[in-house]
Amino acid sequence: MQVAGNVFVVTGAGNGIGRSVALELVRRGASVIGADLDEPGLAETAAAAEDPARFQGRVLDIADQASVTSFAASVVAAYGKVDGLFNVAGIAQRPETTAEITDERIEVLMRVNFFGAVWLTRAFLPHLLERPEAVIMMTSSLSAIAPFPGAAVYGASKAALALFGYGMAQDLRRTSNVTVTTVLPGTVWTNLVRGTSADLGVSEKLTKAFAAKPEGVAKRMVEATLRGKQRVVVGKDAHAFDVMRRLSFRVAQKASDLQVGTMFYKK
């Protein structure tokens, strides 16, 4: 798909993978509307853009359906078209068991990680269907491939998003030129991962050395989405768990317990 001259919406653009995806699209000649709750973070993304004039930051709470609907309408009104939606925004679950996590936190995780992307996608879909070709990307997670201790709800939210992406790709396969790509990244050095490693008591230096860089991950995500690939696994750990999960669910469970369980149960 052509990038230069097209208009893309990227959520979570105030930091981490979302920022890197937005900057990669701007670098390729696109106009990007970056959405995030973090207004200072959006300003930093704009400052880092190769051409700041082609990046516009918009404050948005994707957990608020009315705000999502209003945001989509305002973007279309301002730009006249939208050629792609990159759903990147997400939040982490602090390491805690299903008995410990509160109902309120469960609802927030599902609203941000699942419903927010669903609402945005449905809000933009009528406009995307009018384009000669268009793309949608869902950012799932390694946690949707294998279960990890202390992250049952986070994993569920990301697995739900993955299945939504796969199903939507099937819905649109024969009826439109809109492609849907679901990306399952492994450990990426972002604020989300930094916070989780701190909660588990893992050395930041060790986690950073193990994690993939968001710039490289973003490039892979953008390239795969523009090619219309349906499912993309990114990162060495994600690939390893994907292979293990296909061979044996029990092996994947044991590996996730070894990776996270030892630290999780110490707390």
Side-chain angles (χ1 to χ4, degrees):
M1 178 185 182
Q2 176 183 326
V3 178
N6 281 346
V7 177
F8 298 94
V9 174
V10 180
T11 67
N15 62 77
I17 298 174
R19 172 181 288 173
S20 295
V21 167
L23 295 178
E24 177 66 18
L25 288 168
V26 169
R27 187 186 68 79
R28 295 180 183 221
S31 293
V32 175
I33 301 93
D36 205 299
L37 267 176
D38 183 1
E39 190 169 9
L42 288 171
E44 291 175 7
T45 303
E50 188 171 292
D51 182 355
R54 286 192 279 105
F55 177 84
Q56 181 186 57
R58 297 275 195 98
V59 175
L60 174 67
D61 179 3
I62 64 170
D64 183 329
Q65 188 174 12
S67 296
V68 166
T69 302
S70 176
F71 167 78
S74 69
V75 168
V76 173
Y79 287 84
K81 66 170 186 173
V82 175
D83 300 287
L85 169 64
F86 287 75
N87 290 295
V88 186
I91 57 173
Q93 174 184 344
R94 290 195 63 186
E96 54 192 346
T97 67
T98 51
E100 295 169 332
I101 191 171
T102 65
D103 289 341
E104 292 76 17
R105 187 60 179 170
I106 290 173
E107 182 175 352
V108 170
L109 281 161
M110 293 304 298
R111 288 176 75 87
V112 174
N113 292 347
F114 177 64
F115 285 111
V118 172
W119 294 331
L120 272 166
T121 300
R122 284 171 50 81
F124 279 110
L125 186 58
H127 310 287
L128 295 172
L129 289 170
E130 293 176 356
R131 305 302 300 153
E133 56 180 345
V135 297
I136 299 170
M137 188 192 78
M138 308 291 181
T139 305
S140 183
S141 169
L142 164 60
S143 293
I145 297 175
F148 286 82
V153 178
Y154 175 79
S157 69
K158 289 299 189 176
L161 185 60
L163 266 294
F164 176 72
Y166 302 151
M168 190 175 181
Q170 291 291 80
D171 288 345
L172 298 173
R173 185 185 298 278
R174 298 188 183 185
T175 60
S176 77
N177 289 321
V178 179
T179 59
V180 183
T181 300
T182 299
V183 183
L184 299 105
T187 306
V188 183
W189 186 243
T190 61
N191 290 338
L192 185 152
V193 168
R194 180 187 285 110
T196 301
S197 65
D199 287 336
L200 288 169
V202 181
S203 161
E204 181 173 306
K205 184 177 180 180
L206 177 64
T207 305
K208 188 174 182 179
F210 173 78
K213 294 181 179 179
E215 298 82 6
V217 171
K219 187 174 181 180
R220 287 280 311 280
M221 293 166 77
V222 168
E223 288 177 348
T225 301
L226 296 176
R227 291 200 304 268
K229 294 190 67 175
Q230 185 172 337
R231 181 180 187 270
V232 183
V233 178
V234 182
K236 293 179 181 179
D237 55 344
H239 278 288
F241 274 100
D242 196 38
V243 171
M244 284 187 283
R245 177 65 182 83
R246 291 168 189 266
L247 294 175
S248 168
F249 180 69
R250 186 178 180 184
V251 170
Q253 276 187 309
K254 287 186 175 181
S256 68
D257 185 65
L258 285 172
Q259 182 176 337
V260 176
T262 304
M263 296 170 287
F264 173 68
Y265 290 111
K266 276 184 179 180
K267 77 182 187 66

